[in-house]
Amino acid sequence: SQQGEEDPQALSIQEGENATMNCSYKTSINNLQWYRQNSGRGLVHLILIRSNEREKHSGRLRVTLDTSKKSSSLLITASRAADTASYFCATKGRDDKIIFGKGTRLHILP
Amino acid sequence: NAGVTQTPKFQVLKTGQSMTLQCAQDMNHNSMYWYRQDPGMGLRLIYYSASEGTTDKGEVPNGYNVSRLNKREFSLRLESAAPSQTSVYFCASRLRDRVPNTEAFFGQGTRLTVV
């Protein structure tokens, strides 16, 4: 079964609001990564957080990691129309495989 | 610097036909991956290759074979296509296996329809 599971499956918010997505995983990890996918395109890496880190920032992105709960969250602040996309968490699993969750579809309303 | 290049971008096959999806990366990455993406299922790992000459099964390997031709190229073959293999296929590469904290780079995908 897949390593990561995102929550919610879909999210619609007004432009300017903050968007929060969550990810849960099942086994121990070296790192957790978040990717974005625009419709019909490949995935683009956003941010990576190591297992010994608890929080990381990159521009309007903030990622937290709680290894005791096996969960992570991605916060996008001051959302923009261009943030409309699907967001996936991915964990480095056994044998160095990268396993993805099912994703959260984010829609920013004008 | 092209990154990860997949060919073809689109393909329609008849049930039972065979084909090979090509993937090449020019970033000198060791690890390469093939995923399929279906609606509501996210990305599922088909096969991966930690280095030239090695391949390993992922979550959904049945019906597929792979070849790591050299460090740059990792191909995915469907020997006898089935409608259940209709999907979007993504190839990805990563700097080095056994180095835990590097991200994957993705190609633009191959949209395959099996009729």
Side-chain angles (χ1 to χ4, degrees):
Chain A
S1 61
Q2 289 177 311
Q3 177 82 313
E5 294 288 339
E6 289 89 342
D7 170 58
Q9 292 185 350
L11 178 64
S12 293
I13 61 171
Q14 295 294 138
E15 189 169 11
E17 292 182 340
N18 296 341
T20 299
M21 289 159 271
N22 302 297
C23 170
S24 60
Y25 58 92
K26 297 178 181 176
T27 62
S28 62
I29 60 171
N30 287 327
N31 64 64
L32 186 142
Q33 305 170 34
W34 284 91
Y35 290 79
R36 184 186 71 220
Q37 183 182 36
N38 291 93
S39 181
R41 306 298 297 273
L43 278 74
V44 175
H45 178 260
L46 294 175
I47 193 167
L48 179 153
I49 186 165
R50 302 179 184 188
S51 60
N52 60 354
E53 297 176 313
R54 293 295 167 260
E55 187 172 312
K56 199 163 183 179
H57 297 254
S58 176
R60 293 185 295 114
L61 304 180
R62 173 178 169 250
V63 169
T64 62
L65 179 64
D66 187 336
T67 53
S68 67
K69 296 181 179 178
K70 291 186 167 59
S71 67
S72 172
S73 67
L74 171 67
L75 169 68
I76 303 174
T77 61
S79 63
R80 305 168 181 170
D83 295 329
T84 293
S86 291
Y87 292 82
F88 296 88
C89 70
T91 53
K92 182 180 163 297
R94 289 182 295 173
D95 300 327
D96 295 319
K97 292 183 284 191
I98 300 175
I99 303 296
F100 285 81
K102 296 181 180 181
T104 292
R105 295 188 310 279
L106 176 64
H107 185 54
I108 307 301
L109 303 168
Chain B
N1 190 342
V4 180
T5 303
Q6 291 182 234
T7 56
K9 288 186 170 54
F10 301 93
Q11 183 71 49
V12 178
L13 288 178
K14 293 181 179 178
T15 298
Q17 285 186 320
S18 62
M19 82 160 294
T20 300
L21 280 64
Q22 306 287 351
C23 175
Q25 53 89 10
D26 60 4
M27 296 174 283
N28 202 34
H29 286 175
N30 291 74
S31 299
M32 296 186 73
Y33 307 82
W34 275 106
Y35 293 88
R36 61 176 288 174
Q37 185 176 29
D38 302 293
M41 296 297 293
L43 278 81
R44 291 182 291 171
L45 182 64
I46 304 172
Y47 270 93
Y48 83 109
S49 170
S51 62
E52 182 179 353
T54 67
T55 61
D56 287 281
K57 294 179 180 179
E59 302 168 278
V60 288
N62 292 344
Y64 305 95
N65 286 301
V66 290
S67 295
R68 185 71 183 269
L69 303 170
N70 47 55
K71 193 171 185 180
R72 290 186 64 250
E73 298 171 293
F74 188 38
S75 61
L76 179 71
R77 183 161 178 83
L78 287 71
E79 290 291 351
S80 179
S84 61
Q85 294 178 305
T86 293
S87 189
V88 181
Y89 291 84
F90 288 98
C91 177
S93 70
R94 193 167 75 95
L95 176 59
R96 253 186 70 191
D97 205 29
R98 307 299 176 190
V99 175
N101 298 313
T102 56
E103 72 268 30
F105 293 80
F106 281 80
Q108 291 302 299
T110 296
R111 188 173 296 274
L112 175 67
T113 302
V114 183
V115 298

